[in-house]
Short mmCIF file of all heavy atoms in Angstrom, two decimals:
data_model
loop_
_atom_site.label_atom_id
_atom_site.label_comp_id
_atom_site.label_asym_id
_atom_site.label_seq_id
_atom_site.Cartn_x
_atom_site.Cartn_y
_atom_site.Cartn_z
N PHE A 109 17.20 -169.88 258.10
CA PHE A 109 18.07 -168.73 257.90
C PHE A 109 17.40 -167.73 256.97
O PHE A 109 16.84 -168.09 255.94
CB PHE A 109 19.41 -169.16 257.31
CG PHE A 109 20.34 -168.01 257.02
CD1 PHE A 109 21.04 -167.41 258.05
CD2 PHE A 109 20.49 -167.53 255.73
CE1 PHE A 109 21.88 -166.35 257.80
CE2 PHE A 109 21.33 -166.47 255.47
CZ PHE A 109 22.03 -165.88 256.50
N ALA A 110 17.46 -166.45 257.35
CA ALA A 110 16.87 -165.38 256.55
C ALA A 110 17.73 -164.13 256.65
O ALA A 110 18.41 -163.90 257.67
CB ALA A 110 15.44 -165.09 257.00
N ILE A 111 17.69 -163.31 255.61
CA ILE A 111 18.50 -162.10 255.57
C ILE A 111 17.90 -160.98 256.42
O ILE A 111 18.63 -160.19 257.04
CB ILE A 111 18.65 -161.61 254.11
CG1 ILE A 111 19.41 -162.65 253.27
CG2 ILE A 111 19.38 -160.27 254.06
CD1 ILE A 111 20.84 -162.82 253.64
N GLU A 112 16.56 -160.90 256.46
CA GLU A 112 15.90 -159.76 257.10
C GLU A 112 16.31 -159.56 258.56
O GLU A 112 16.59 -158.42 258.97
CB GLU A 112 14.37 -159.90 257.00
CG GLU A 112 13.80 -159.76 255.60
CD GLU A 112 14.03 -160.98 254.74
OE1 GLU A 112 14.43 -162.04 255.29
OE2 GLU A 112 13.80 -160.90 253.51
N PRO A 113 16.35 -160.61 259.41
CA PRO A 113 16.79 -160.38 260.79
C PRO A 113 18.22 -159.85 260.89
O PRO A 113 18.53 -159.06 261.79
CB PRO A 113 16.67 -161.78 261.42
CG PRO A 113 15.67 -162.49 260.58
CD PRO A 113 15.89 -161.99 259.19
N LEU A 114 19.09 -160.28 259.97
CA LEU A 114 20.46 -159.77 259.97
C LEU A 114 20.48 -158.30 259.62
O LEU A 114 21.20 -157.50 260.27
CB LEU A 114 21.31 -160.57 258.96
CG LEU A 114 22.73 -160.04 258.71
CD1 LEU A 114 23.54 -160.05 260.00
CD2 LEU A 114 23.42 -160.89 257.64
N ILE A 115 19.72 -157.90 258.62
CA ILE A 115 19.65 -156.48 258.23
C ILE A 115 19.15 -155.64 259.39
O ILE A 115 19.71 -154.57 259.69
CB ILE A 115 18.75 -156.32 257.00
CG1 ILE A 115 19.37 -157.02 255.79
CG2 ILE A 115 18.51 -154.84 256.70
CD1 ILE A 115 18.46 -157.06 254.58
N GLN A 116 18.12 -156.12 260.07
CA GLN A 116 17.57 -155.38 261.21
C GLN A 116 18.60 -155.27 262.34
O GLN A 116 18.74 -154.21 262.96
CB GLN A 116 16.31 -156.06 261.71
CG GLN A 116 15.15 -156.03 260.71
CD GLN A 116 13.99 -156.90 261.14
OE1 GLN A 116 13.98 -157.48 262.24
NE2 GLN A 116 12.98 -157.02 260.28
N ALA A 117 19.31 -156.36 262.59
CA ALA A 117 20.31 -156.34 263.67
C ALA A 117 21.45 -155.38 263.34
O ALA A 117 21.97 -154.68 264.23
CB ALA A 117 20.85 -157.75 263.88
N LEU A 118 21.87 -155.34 262.08
CA LEU A 118 22.92 -154.41 261.67
C LEU A 118 22.48 -152.97 261.87
O LEU A 118 23.27 -152.11 262.33
CB LEU A 118 23.31 -154.66 260.21
CG LEU A 118 24.06 -155.95 259.91
CD1 LEU A 118 24.20 -156.16 258.41
CD2 LEU A 118 25.44 -155.94 260.56
N GLU A 119 21.24 -152.66 261.53
CA GLU A 119 20.73 -151.31 261.71
C GLU A 119 20.69 -150.92 263.19
O GLU A 119 21.07 -149.80 263.56
CB GLU A 119 19.33 -151.20 261.11
CG GLU A 119 19.31 -151.29 259.58
CD GLU A 119 17.90 -151.26 259.02
OE1 GLU A 119 16.94 -151.31 259.83
OE2 GLU A 119 17.76 -151.18 257.80
N ILE A 120 20.27 -151.84 264.03
CA ILE A 120 20.21 -151.57 265.47
C ILE A 120 21.61 -151.33 266.03
O ILE A 120 21.81 -150.48 266.91
CB ILE A 120 19.53 -152.75 266.20
CG1 ILE A 120 18.06 -152.83 265.82
CG2 ILE A 120 19.68 -152.61 267.71
CD1 ILE A 120 17.33 -154.05 266.35
N SER A 121 22.59 -152.05 265.51
CA SER A 121 23.96 -151.92 266.01
C SER A 121 24.64 -150.63 265.54
O SER A 121 25.69 -150.26 266.04
CB SER A 121 24.80 -153.12 265.56
OG SER A 121 25.04 -153.07 264.16
N GLY A 122 24.04 -149.95 264.55
CA GLY A 122 24.63 -148.72 264.03
C GLY A 122 25.45 -148.90 262.78
O GLY A 122 26.04 -147.94 262.28
N LEU A 123 25.48 -150.12 262.24
CA LEU A 123 26.24 -150.38 261.01
C LEU A 123 25.32 -150.21 259.80
O LEU A 123 24.18 -150.66 259.82
CB LEU A 123 26.81 -151.80 261.02
CG LEU A 123 27.90 -152.07 262.06
CD1 LEU A 123 28.21 -153.55 262.13
CD2 LEU A 123 29.17 -151.29 261.72
N THR A 124 25.84 -149.57 258.75
CA THR A 124 25.04 -149.30 257.56
C THR A 124 25.69 -149.93 256.34
O THR A 124 26.82 -149.59 255.97
CB THR A 124 24.90 -147.78 257.33
OG1 THR A 124 24.30 -147.18 258.48
CG2 THR A 124 24.02 -147.51 256.11
N TYR A 125 24.99 -150.88 255.75
CA TYR A 125 25.43 -151.51 254.50
C TYR A 125 24.23 -151.59 253.56
O TYR A 125 23.07 -151.66 254.02
CB TYR A 125 25.96 -152.93 254.74
CG TYR A 125 27.22 -152.99 255.57
CD1 TYR A 125 27.17 -153.25 256.93
CD2 TYR A 125 28.46 -152.81 254.98
CE1 TYR A 125 28.32 -153.31 257.69
CE2 TYR A 125 29.63 -152.87 255.73
CZ TYR A 125 29.55 -153.12 257.09
OH TYR A 125 30.69 -153.18 257.84
N SER A 126 24.50 -151.59 252.26
CA SER A 126 23.41 -151.76 251.31
C SER A 126 22.87 -153.18 251.42
O SER A 126 23.61 -154.13 251.72
CB SER A 126 23.89 -151.49 249.89
OG SER A 126 24.74 -152.53 249.43
N ILE A 127 21.57 -153.32 251.20
CA ILE A 127 20.94 -154.63 251.28
C ILE A 127 21.56 -155.57 250.26
O ILE A 127 21.79 -156.76 250.53
CB ILE A 127 19.43 -154.51 251.08
CG1 ILE A 127 18.81 -153.71 252.23
CG2 ILE A 127 18.77 -155.89 250.97
CD1 ILE A 127 17.32 -153.46 252.08
N THR A 128 21.88 -155.02 249.08
CA THR A 128 22.49 -155.84 248.03
C THR A 128 23.82 -156.43 248.49
O THR A 128 24.10 -157.62 248.26
CB THR A 128 22.71 -155.01 246.76
OG1 THR A 128 21.46 -154.50 246.31
CG2 THR A 128 23.35 -155.85 245.65
N LEU A 129 24.63 -155.62 249.14
CA LEU A 129 25.94 -156.10 249.61
C LEU A 129 25.78 -157.20 250.66
O LEU A 129 26.51 -158.20 250.64
CB LEU A 129 26.74 -154.94 250.19
CG LEU A 129 28.15 -155.26 250.69
CD1 LEU A 129 29.01 -155.79 249.55
CD2 LEU A 129 28.80 -154.04 251.33
N ILE A 130 24.82 -157.04 251.57
CA ILE A 130 24.58 -158.06 252.60
C ILE A 130 24.14 -159.36 251.96
O ILE A 130 24.59 -160.45 252.35
CB ILE A 130 23.53 -157.55 253.61
CG1 ILE A 130 24.03 -156.30 254.34
CG2 ILE A 130 23.19 -158.64 254.62
CD1 ILE A 130 22.98 -155.62 255.18
N ILE A 131 23.26 -159.28 250.97
CA ILE A 131 22.78 -160.48 250.28
C ILE A 131 23.93 -161.17 249.56
O ILE A 131 24.08 -162.40 249.63
CB ILE A 131 21.65 -160.12 249.30
CG1 ILE A 131 20.41 -159.66 250.07
CG2 ILE A 131 21.31 -161.32 248.41
CD1 ILE A 131 19.30 -159.15 249.18
N ILE A 132 24.76 -160.39 248.86
CA ILE A 132 25.90 -160.97 248.15
C ILE A 132 26.86 -161.65 249.12
O ILE A 132 27.36 -162.75 248.86
CB ILE A 132 26.64 -159.88 247.35
CG1 ILE A 132 25.76 -159.40 246.19
CG2 ILE A 132 27.97 -160.40 246.80
CD1 ILE A 132 26.34 -158.22 245.44
N PHE A 133 27.10 -161.02 250.26
CA PHE A 133 28.01 -161.59 251.27
C PHE A 133 27.49 -162.93 251.78
O PHE A 133 28.22 -163.93 251.81
CB PHE A 133 28.18 -160.60 252.42
CG PHE A 133 28.97 -161.13 253.58
CD1 PHE A 133 30.34 -161.29 253.49
CD2 PHE A 133 28.34 -161.47 254.77
CE1 PHE A 133 31.07 -161.79 254.55
CE2 PHE A 133 29.06 -161.95 255.84
CZ PHE A 133 30.43 -162.12 255.73
N CYS A 134 26.22 -162.98 252.15
CA CYS A 134 25.65 -164.22 252.68
C CYS A 134 25.59 -165.30 251.60
O CYS A 134 25.90 -166.48 251.86
CB CYS A 134 24.25 -163.97 253.24
SG CYS A 134 24.24 -162.92 254.72
N ALA A 135 25.18 -164.91 250.38
CA ALA A 135 25.10 -165.88 249.29
C ALA A 135 26.47 -166.45 248.95
O ALA A 135 26.60 -167.63 248.63
CB ALA A 135 24.48 -165.22 248.06
N SER A 136 27.50 -165.62 249.04
CA SER A 136 28.86 -166.08 248.76
C SER A 136 29.31 -167.10 249.78
O SER A 136 29.92 -168.12 249.43
CB SER A 136 29.83 -164.89 248.72
OG SER A 136 29.49 -163.99 247.69
N LEU A 137 29.02 -166.87 251.05
CA LEU A 137 29.39 -167.82 252.10
C LEU A 137 28.64 -169.14 251.92
O LEU A 137 29.21 -170.22 252.13
CB LEU A 137 29.09 -167.24 253.48
CG LEU A 137 30.12 -166.30 254.09
CD1 LEU A 137 29.59 -165.71 255.39
CD2 LEU A 137 31.44 -167.01 254.33
N LEU A 138 27.38 -169.05 251.54
CA LEU A 138 26.59 -170.27 251.35
C LEU A 138 27.07 -171.06 250.14
O LEU A 138 26.97 -172.29 250.11
CB LEU A 138 25.12 -169.91 251.18
CG LEU A 138 24.40 -169.39 252.43
CD1 LEU A 138 23.03 -168.84 252.08
CD2 LEU A 138 24.27 -170.49 253.47
N THR A 139 27.60 -170.36 249.14
CA THR A 139 28.05 -171.03 247.92
C THR A 139 29.44 -171.63 248.08
O THR A 139 29.72 -172.73 247.61
CB THR A 139 28.06 -170.03 246.75
OG1 THR A 139 26.77 -169.46 246.62
CG2 THR A 139 28.46 -170.71 245.45
N LYS A 140 30.31 -170.90 248.75
CA LYS A 140 31.71 -171.33 248.88
C LYS A 140 32.22 -170.91 250.26
O LYS A 140 32.04 -169.76 250.66
CB LYS A 140 32.55 -170.69 247.77
CG LYS A 140 33.94 -171.26 247.64
CD LYS A 140 34.72 -170.52 246.54
CE LYS A 140 34.12 -170.74 245.18
NZ LYS A 140 34.99 -170.18 244.11
N PRO A 141 32.87 -171.80 251.00
CA PRO A 141 33.27 -171.47 252.38
C PRO A 141 34.52 -170.59 252.50
O PRO A 141 35.06 -170.45 253.58
CB PRO A 141 33.53 -172.86 252.99
CG PRO A 141 33.95 -173.70 251.85
CD PRO A 141 33.18 -173.20 250.65
N PHE A 142 34.97 -170.02 251.40
CA PHE A 142 36.14 -169.13 251.42
C PHE A 142 35.77 -167.86 250.66
O PHE A 142 35.52 -167.89 249.46
CB PHE A 142 37.34 -169.83 250.77
CG PHE A 142 38.60 -169.02 250.74
CD1 PHE A 142 38.85 -168.02 251.66
CD2 PHE A 142 39.58 -169.27 249.78
CE1 PHE A 142 40.02 -167.27 251.64
CE2 PHE A 142 40.75 -168.54 249.73
CZ PHE A 142 40.97 -167.54 250.67
N VAL A 143 35.69 -166.75 251.39
CA VAL A 143 35.26 -165.48 250.81
C VAL A 143 36.33 -164.42 251.08
O VAL A 143 36.85 -164.32 252.21
CB VAL A 143 33.91 -165.03 251.39
CG1 VAL A 143 33.53 -163.64 250.89
CG2 VAL A 143 32.82 -166.03 251.04
N ILE A 144 36.65 -163.63 250.05
CA ILE A 144 37.61 -162.53 250.18
C ILE A 144 36.87 -161.22 250.01
O ILE A 144 36.13 -161.04 249.03
CB ILE A 144 38.74 -162.65 249.14
CG1 ILE A 144 39.58 -163.89 249.42
CG2 ILE A 144 39.62 -161.41 249.16
CD1 ILE A 144 40.66 -164.15 248.37
N LEU A 145 37.05 -160.30 250.96
CA LEU A 145 36.43 -158.98 250.90
C LEU A 145 37.52 -157.96 250.58
O LEU A 145 38.50 -157.85 251.30
CB LEU A 145 35.77 -158.63 252.24
CG LEU A 145 34.80 -159.69 252.82
CD1 LEU A 145 34.22 -159.20 254.14
CD2 LEU A 145 33.69 -160.02 251.84
#
Side-chain angles (χ1 to χ4, degrees):
F109 178 78
I111 296 292
E112 291 76 12
L114 172 60
I115 294 172
Q116 295 171 4
L118 290 172
E119 291 177 353
I120 293 173
S121 70
L123 293 170
T124 302
Y125 294 98
S126 71
I127 295 177
T128 301
L129 182 61
I130 298 171
I131 292 174
I132 291 174
F133 174 73
C134 293
S136 298
L137 277 174
L138 290 170
T139 304
K140 191 182 295 188
F142 181 26
V143 175
I144 294 176
L145 309 180

